[in-house]
Amino acid sequence: VQLQASGGGLVQAGGSLRLSCAASGRSFSRYVMGWFRQAPGKEREFVSAILWDAVRTYYADSVKGRFTISREDAKNTVYLQMNSLKPEDTAVYYCAASTRYDRAPRGYDYWGQGTLVTVSS
């Protein structure tokens, strides 16, 4: 599976962005899809994940209520809608695919290249 993340950019605090992650290859619907982020000087951290059924979703406490993950298997794409953005959301955002749900980066087998989100105060 190859993943391509897009949709990052510069936004003011309180604004919104929608990230997309397009997957190539077969069996996209079998994968748990996750979003992670990494700020400068910090470790990569879990943001959100969505299971195969597109119903069960998981969020880091820091983004709960502001971010929404979704997937569209017909388009092999997973989305992360980010609202009420804060300067501390500034990071490179990565999408990843796994055969099981995990909040740790090591649990994911495939990674996209990352897209930069910058939130100005």
Side-chain angles (χ1 to χ4, degrees):
V1 176
Q2 291 184 322
L3 305 175
Q4 179 78 30
S6 62
L10 174 63
V11 63
Q12 289 188 333
S16 298
L17 282 175
R18 189 176 81 155
L19 305 183
S20 299
C21 176
S24 62
R26 294 180 289 183
S27 304
F28 172 79
S29 61
R30 297 182 182 180
Y31 288 97
V32 173
M33 297 301 298
W35 285 97
F36 290 78
R37 67 186 182 186
Q38 188 166 17
K42 295 189 177 181
E43 294 186 352
R44 192 168 298 189
E45 65 174 3
F46 172 81
V47 174
S48 183
I50 186 166
L51 269 55
W52 316 270
D53 58 9
V55 174
R56 287 174 287 177
T57 57
Y58 303 89
Y59 298 94
D61 288 343
S62 59
V63 307
K64 200 172 294 182
R66 300 188 297 121
F67 291 10
T68 303
I69 191 171
S70 61
R71 64 189 298 161
E72 192 171 357
D73 289 350
K75 294 186 177 181
N76 280 11
T77 302
V78 62
Y79 305 98
L80 185 68
Q81 177 67 43
M82 306 186 296
N83 298 330
S84 302
L85 284 161
K86 305 175 181 180
E88 52 263 43
D89 294 318
T90 295
V92 176
Y93 283 71
Y94 299 89
C95 59
S98 175
T99 55
R100 61 183 178 86
Y101 169 61
D102 201 323
R103 285 180 173 248
R106 65 178 180 273
Y108 288 75
D109 305 302
Y110 305 99
W111 290 86
Q113 86 289 0
T115 185
L116 177 62
V117 173
T118 304
V119 184
S120 63
S121 57

